[in-house]
Amino acid sequence: MKRALVLLCATALACAQTPRDKILQASVIVYGTIQENGKMNPVSRGGGFLIDPRHVVTNLNACCAKTERGQAVLTVVVAGEDDKDVSTAKLIWSSAEAEIAILELKDPLQRPAIALAPFKAVEKDQAVYTAQFPDPGEKGTQPTITEGKLTGLVKIENSEIQVYKTTAAMNKANSGGALFDACGNAIGINMMVKESVQYAYVIDPLFAGLKAAGLTPQVVSAHCGSPSGEKGSAPARREWRLPEGAEWIPVGLLAAALLMAFRSPKKTASSPMPMQPLPEPETYAPPGTARPALRGLAGEYAGKSFALDRGTSTLGRDQRVANLVFSSDASSISKRHCMVSWDAARNTFVLEDLGSTNGTFLSTGERLKPGQPRDLPAGARFSIGDLRNQFELKLDS
């Protein structure tokens, strides 16, 4: 019975999809190609995103336009620049006004789809994200996540089509990819960048195409920042599925680890030292003396600072073991998620993930390996669980 319970828990943990996972795995590259001299040569490229394993949304010009010589273009979809995740596609719906297209893949791409967030579930000044694949010739093949803010809403001239204005970075080669919220839902379709402002079509016109194609995607009804206990709320919703293939390997390892934990004697956690907001600099330090601190950038502790010169501090949902305690609604944060400290002898910050379910991430997108402390300089930023709770390590002087 105990073994069965352990395996069930391990399976559930292994199969949860974080918002970061959703953004990266749902994003694809779309090529328009022609056949020349027995080879397929790309003539156009854009971004795209999966709404289910067989269907991709993209920019109409990136996939389906003819060449200047009138040659028909064959569309090829690539997920993550990986030869194993490649399929040809055909156009099943398009809107010339909104420049968006829905493609049907010949071979399904076994990657999780994402939910769509209509205009009513979006708020001004909320955080937004894009997945950016490197341009041809650039180093690397995997996408990176860029962050920005939704700053406004405009209409295309002589049209009723609405467009978001954002500060999230996007290059031309990724036009057609999704504009995401912090929960990993698609709120728009990236369009172009002009004078350092990114424009993305509001997702709503896509629903007409989905209906015409007979497709029923998952659609959220509330803003990403809604409390997890609220009816129709998206943030607490997790995607669960059975593992496939090699995914059973970490499940087995996790099951073994949990089984050992059941057999280990229980330990009583010591009461952590309360973590207090930093007072004004002049009240605690002589002029010119720097004091290490943790500053909240987004989420429950946005705008607040906490001293880090009083020993190791733990972040999590369980007030018995955490110094910085998150609400019970913060489902993406573990009870004992990560810990951060200041090493005065080496003049560096130290961040360590404590085996959290949804991970601790640096601003580069790197996920820290549990139990392996990472030295970080002042100014380094990280997020825990998902993109909603972000922090900066700083020296207040």
Side-chain angles (χ1 to χ4, degrees), residues 68 79 81 84 100 142 168 178 192-193 252 266 274 276 293 298 323 354 368 383 390:
E68 294 180 355
E81 294 273 358
K84 296 179 181 178
I100 54 178
Q142 298 303 312
M192 67 176 183
V193 176
K266 293 184 178 179
Q276 300 295 331
N323 303 71
L354 300 175
L368 296 185
S383 59
Q390 301 181 38

Side-chain angles (χ1 to χ4, degrees), residues 39-324:
K39 296 182 179 181
M40 300 304 298
N41 296 319
V43 292
S44 61
R45 174 188 153 170
F49 57 96
L50 290 160
I51 51 176
D52 64 44
R54 292 197 69 96
H55 297 94
V56 168
V57 174
T58 186
N59 179 282
L60 181 61
N61 295 324
C63 71
C64 311
K66 290 186 177 182
T67 67
E68 294 180 355
R69 292 182 289 174
Q71 296 167 291
V73 171
L74 174 67
T75 303
V76 177
V77 174
V78 181
E81 294 273 358
D82 188 336
D83 291 340
K84 296 179 181 178
D85 287 337
V86 177
S87 176
T88 56
K90 65 178 181 180
L91 178 68
I92 61 172
W93 180 86
S94 66
S95 167
E97 185 178 28
E99 296 182 347
I100 54 178
I102 300 176
L103 307 176
E104 184 173 271
L105 305 179
K106 179 181 178 182
D107 302 305
L109 299 181
Q110 299 305 319
R111 289 173 170 237
I114 54 175
L116 307 182
F119 178 71
K120 66 179 182 180
V122 177
E123 296 182 1
K124 186 180 178 182
D125 295 329
Q126 73 174 58
V128 291
Y129 306 86
T130 62
Q132 298 297 300
F133 288 91
D135 282 335
E138 290 185 354
K139 184 178 180 180
T141 59
Q142 298 303 312
T144 57
I145 295 178
T146 63
E147 177 185 353
K149 184 170 70 172
L150 196 155
T151 58
L153 183 72
V154 297
K155 282 187 177 181
I156 297 177
E157 188 175 357
N158 300 321
S159 171
E160 293 300 313
I161 299 295
Q162 294 179 310
V163 178
Y164 292 127
K165 295 173 62 178
T166 87
T167 61
M170 185 200 78
N171 57 47
K172 182 178 180 181
N174 287 286
S175 176
L179 181 69
F180 299 93
D181 63 18
C183 296
N185 305 314
I187 68 170
I189 304 169
N190 296 326
M191 175 185 174
M192 67 176 183
V193 176
K194 184 177 181 181
E195 298 177 352
S196 300
V197 178
Q198 179 189 318
Y199 296 89
Y201 291 111
V202 173
I203 204 79
D204 294 53
L206 177 63
F207 292 118
L210 296 172
K211 183 177 180 180
L215 303 176
T216 308
Q218 181 185 355
V219 179
V220 301
S221 59
H223 175 59
C224 177
S226 301
S228 60
E230 183 176 323
K231 184 178 180 181
S233 173
R237 187 176 297 161
R238 312 293 296 175
E239 295 181 4
W240 308 97
R241 57 180 173 83
L242 287 175
E244 299 175 356
E247 291 178 344
W248 281 105
I249 296 175
V251 172
L253 295 175
L254 186 55
L258 288 174
L259 182 58
M260 292 299 294
F262 272 116
R263 291 177 175 176
S264 300
K266 293 184 178 179
K267 296 182 180 180
T268 302
S270 58
S271 299
M273 176 180 59
M275 199 179 205
Q276 300 295 331
L278 282 174
E280 293 298 320
E282 60 269 23
T283 66
Y284 65 75
T289 300
R291 191 177 191 185
L294 176 71
R295 183 168 68 94
L297 299 177
E300 291 188 29
Y301 291 97
K304 297 183 179 180
S305 292
F306 304 89
L308 290 179
D309 56 356
R310 304 170 185 172
T312 299
S313 297
T314 302
L315 285 65
R317 287 188 293 111
D318 191 339
Q319 61 182 353
R320 296 171 298 179
V321 294
N323 303 71
L324 189 59

Side-chain angles (χ1 to χ4, degrees), residues 23 25 37 67:
I23 292 174
Q25 295 183 32
N37 301 321
T67 67

